[in-house]
Amino acid sequence: MILWTIQPVELYRRILETGVYICDPQQCSMPEFTEMYDWLAEQMKARIGAPPEGVVYPVWAWYMQRGKHQKPDLRSERWANGSDGSELVCMEIEVPDEQVLLSDFDAWGIVLNDCLLSETEAEDHELDRVYQTLSPEKQREMKYRNWERVFDISPLDNNWIRCGWWIQATFWVLTKNMIRKVRYFTAAEKKHSK
């Protein structure tokens, strides 16, 4: 499967030196999202297999943007990846299909907000009504089951939700031999006002 991952230039250089990259949980410390990332890691274990020893969280990449499976437009990516003028790379990589878990990027944002996924406003109200009647343990079970909808990447576009337009990919390890092409670019710089 062809994917694109955007990373700092230093990380790319490290891959060239060591031959491998795994996500360092210390570098992506966001305690408010630990529950969600732990849940995703468990889903990956169940769906694509256990990670290599020492791997906790996945590497992220793009499978599709704006409904198309094509390399990211770096003119927009430079704004989406910081505002400090840092040097970045967009690596085109090839990862075996069975090692990749695809999910909907917009739906993942709902998961990160610790909310339930729904296809309509009426469904959202009904899910919330049921959720509020449950014990904390049953709420967690319902939420985790509901979050699995993030893996439905079928196109859907109504006035409530848009899915299948931005699709992300997660996999356990990025190795040097997976890299097909590299494009360098610079993150946008925030303009300082007087």
Side-chain angles (χ1 to χ4, degrees), residues 43-154:
Q43 289 294 312
M44 290 178 66
K45 290 174 191 175
R47 294 167 186 261
I48 63 171
E53 187 175 333
V55 176
V56 178
Y57 292 135
V59 178
W60 294 76
W62 285 111
Y63 174 74
M64 184 181 293
Q65 290 187 337
R66 297 177 188 87
K68 296 181 180 170
H69 182 246
Q70 63 188 21
K71 64 185 177 185
D73 182 345
L74 299 184
R75 292 170 298 186
S76 61
E77 287 297 329
R78 65 185 300 265
W79 294 99
N81 287 278
S83 60
D84 60 356
S86 59
E87 297 298 314
L88 302 167
V89 293
C90 177
M91 292 179 264
E92 181 177 290
I93 57 177
E94 187 166 5
V95 184
D97 292 7
E98 66 276 6
Q99 295 178 19
V100 176
L101 182 58
L102 298 177
S103 59
D104 186 86
F105 176 74
D106 292 318
W108 177 245
I110 295 169
V111 170
L112 287 179
N113 280 302
D114 200 22
C115 296
L116 297 173
L117 294 160
S118 59
E119 291 185 7
T120 65
E121 187 173 3
E123 181 191 14
D124 187 64
H125 290 306
E126 179 59 18
L127 287 170
D128 187 55
R129 186 193 64 72
V130 170
Y131 186 80
Q132 296 305 324
T133 67
L134 301 174
S135 69
E137 181 181 322
K138 293 292 185 188
Q139 284 180 338
R140 187 171 41 259
E141 288 174 16
M142 178 184 174
K143 180 173 64 174
Y144 287 178
R145 218 174 23 258
N146 173 271
W147 285 356
E148 291 185 36
R149 294 169 83 170
V150 77
F151 305 117
D152 181 354
I153 56 173
S154 306

Side-chain angles (χ1 to χ4, degrees), residues 34-45:
T34 300
E35 176 186 10
M36 295 75 171
Y37 281 88
D38 289 347
W39 174 83
L40 178 64
E42 289 304 313
Q43 289 294 312
M44 290 178 66
K45 290 174 191 175

Side-chain angles (χ1 to χ4, degrees), residues 138-180:
K138 293 292 185 188
Q139 284 180 338
R140 187 171 41 259
E141 288 174 16
M142 178 184 174
K143 180 173 64 174
Y144 287 178
R145 218 174 23 258
N146 173 271
W147 285 356
E148 291 185 36
R149 294 169 83 170
V150 77
F151 305 117
D152 181 354
I153 56 173
S154 306
L156 173 65
D157 190 2
N158 59 30
N159 5 348
W160 184 252
I161 191 167
R162 184 178 205 182
C163 296
W165 190 247
W166 295 82
I167 299 176
Q168 58 194 5
T170 52
F171 52 98
W172 293 120
V173 176
L174 174 57
T175 60
K176 182 178 174 181
N177 65 343
M178 292 175 175
I179 302 170
R180 297 166 39 111

